[in-house]
């Protein structure tokens, strides 16, 4: 397993985390990454973990739970450092974080067109669920 120093992100990490998410193609025009970071860090049921290699942020994951199931978003590994096991390490840290909170199940969403990411999760023991996901914007905006 790759050596990676994992810790919750700090205020000074925001720009580096957003830049990592952008390099990984995780940001979307309808989601403000800085607001997402602030929301995740606001309460006790969520956080953003970062992985550092020689002090440089090379991986991240937003983790949280609603008391029953854990969720992970914005899982990122710097594209220039993929294939070194960092994805496995950050996901193990997410699982440890959730287990420490007493959460037994982790769920995540992968866009159908992202077969590479789906294959990664399958390679580390995640199974595709046969579920339909429904959503609705409740803040008045029109769907993108």
């Amino acid at each position: 397993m790759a050596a990676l120093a994992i810790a919750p992100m700090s205020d000074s990490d925001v720009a580096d985390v957003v830049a990592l998410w952008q390099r990984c193609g995780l940001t979307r025009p309808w989601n403000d990454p800085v607001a997402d970071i602030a929301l995740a860090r606001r309460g006790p049921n969520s956080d953003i973990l970062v992985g550092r290699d020689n002090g440089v942020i090379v991986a991240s994951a937003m983790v949280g739970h609603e008391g029953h199931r854990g969720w992970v978003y914005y899982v990122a590994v710097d594209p220039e450092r993929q294939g070194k096991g960092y994805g496995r390490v950050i996901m193990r840290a997410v699982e440890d974080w959730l287990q420490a909170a007493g959460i037994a199940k982790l769920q995540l969403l992968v866009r159908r067109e992202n077969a590479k990411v789906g294959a990664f999760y399958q390679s580390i023991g995640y199974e595709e669920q046969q579920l339909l996901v429904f959503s609705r914007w409740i803040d008045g905006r029109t769907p993108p």
Side-chain angles (χ1 to χ4, degrees), residues 84-102:
K84 296 184 177 199
Y86 293 159
R88 291 175 185 274
V89 173
I90 198 75
M91 285 303 295
R92 182 70 239 171
V94 163
E95 292 169 3
D96 291 346
W97 190 95
L98 288 166
Q99 285 181 321

Side-chain angles (χ1 to χ4, degrees), residues 45 62-73 94 97-98 102-108 126:
N45 292 343
M62 178 185 289
V63 59
H65 68 87
E66 40 38 11
H68 186 65
R69 290 180 188 90
W71 288 89
V72 65
Y73 303 92
V94 163
W97 190 95
L98 288 166
I103 305 300
K105 184 177 184 183
L106 170 57
Q107 298 186 152
L108 54 95
Y126 286 76

